[in-house]
Amino acid sequence: MVVGGADGCRTGWVICRRDTDGTLDIRVVKTLAEACEGLSTLAVDMPIGFVDVPRPPRACEVEARKLLPGKASSVFPTPCRAALACTTHAEANALSKTMGVGLNRQTFHLFPKMREVDALMRADRKLQSIVYEAHPELAFARMNGGRPVLSKKRQPDGHAERRKLLARHGFKTKVDRLSGAARDDILDAIAVCRTATLIAAGKATCLGPTDERDRHGLPMNIWF
């Protein structure tokens, strides 16, 4: 089985594929649909499933923050579905506040990627057995014995610490630069690829009720 991990980048998606012999193939693709091709399991660092106002936040992200003391802010509040349709940060933020939490600009800038994932998953329901939501900081914490990695991944020490963790768990690579992607995008794609291997092996942990779905039938879980 070939599994993969995907993380959004400025030119599309960084995809890390892991073959049955452990070989890693890391590249940038324009669409998530391309990233899915030929994979049995894909873990993606992007929300899947959106709540409707006035429902509370997704249970999976609430649980994720509790598992990442000192790093909880890395789990961005997922917008409600109505906010996802907004074209300005001000409008999206106002709608999000009806759920009791504001929406930062960093999350708003991820809206195009969120819409892409949402449209893809809704158009092809078979992908629900292939594509899973993951979070790289949860993946790194699992590799680190359950302890969040508190160093900043964009700094040299944080980057080096995460590369060592990945290598220790069988994900050693010399790829450190890709056109159209930042170094931390590459790290995150590899990290969630490791999550995909755990999902495929039946060893991953699922956050949130396994039967919790949004009104379009999309699951609302985070795996690590």
Side-chain angles (χ1 to χ4, degrees):
M1 294 187 296
V2 181
V3 302
D7 185 68
C9 64
R10 62 182 180 271
T11 57
W13 299 84
V14 179
I15 171 71
C16 173
R17 294 173 180 254
R18 189 174 195 265
D19 210 335
T20 51
D21 63 359
T23 301
L24 300 183
D25 176 28
I26 305 170
R27 63 183 65 184
V28 173
V29 297
K30 290 185 177 181
T31 68
L32 191 67
E34 294 175 71
C36 293
E37 293 176 2
L39 297 181
S40 61
T41 305
L42 175 67
V44 59
D45 177 21
M46 201 61 63
I48 297 174
F50 299 88
V51 300
D52 292 298
V53 175
R55 287 182 56 185
R58 304 185 309 161
C60 59
E61 64 192 70
V62 174
E63 293 176 21
R65 293 188 192 100
K66 292 179 180 178
L67 293 174
L68 294 170
K71 206 73 177 180
S73 61
S74 67
V75 184
F76 299 155
T78 300
C80 59
R81 185 169 286 282
L84 193 64
C86 296
T87 57
T88 68
H89 173 254
E91 184 184 3
N93 187 42
L95 265 174
S96 293
K97 285 182 177 178
T98 64
M99 294 173 61
V101 61
L103 189 76
N104 61 38
R105 290 186 180 276
Q106 191 171 1
T107 301
F108 177 71
H109 290 318
L110 293 174
F111 274 24
K113 290 285 194 296
M114 294 184 195
R115 295 186 191 111
E116 180 185 351
V117 175
D118 187 56
L120 182 65
M121 297 289 285
R122 287 167 58 186
D124 187 353
R125 294 304 177 93
K126 292 183 294 184
L127 290 178
Q128 291 183 28
S129 63
I130 296 174
V131 182
Y132 296 80
E133 179 179 345
H135 195 287
E137 292 306 324
L138 286 171
F140 283 120
R142 178 161 180 164
M143 285 183 262
N144 196 40
R147 301 180 304 276
V149 180
L150 300 180
S151 57
K152 296 181 179 180
K153 61 189 174 186
R154 294 183 180 179
Q155 297 298 321
D157 60 335
H159 185 83
E161 183 177 7
R162 286 167 175 79
R163 284 182 69 91
K164 287 179 182 178
L165 281 171
L166 288 166
R168 191 183 305 160
H169 288 85
F171 286 80
K172 185 176 182 179
T173 177
K174 294 181 180 179
V175 176
D176 199 37
R177 303 281 182 182
L178 284 174
S179 177
R183 291 205 312 168
D184 55 297
D185 297 330
I186 298 171
L187 281 180
D188 288 349
I190 302 171
V192 294
C193 182
R194 200 249 173 176
T195 296
T197 66
L198 295 173
I199 294 170
K203 297 178 180 179
T205 297
C206 175
L207 299 182
T210 55
D211 61 348
E212 185 173 33
R213 295 178 178 268
D214 71 4
R215 63 183 168 91
H216 291 285
L218 299 182
M220 293 191 284
N221 304 109
I222 300 176
W223 296 77
F224 71 100

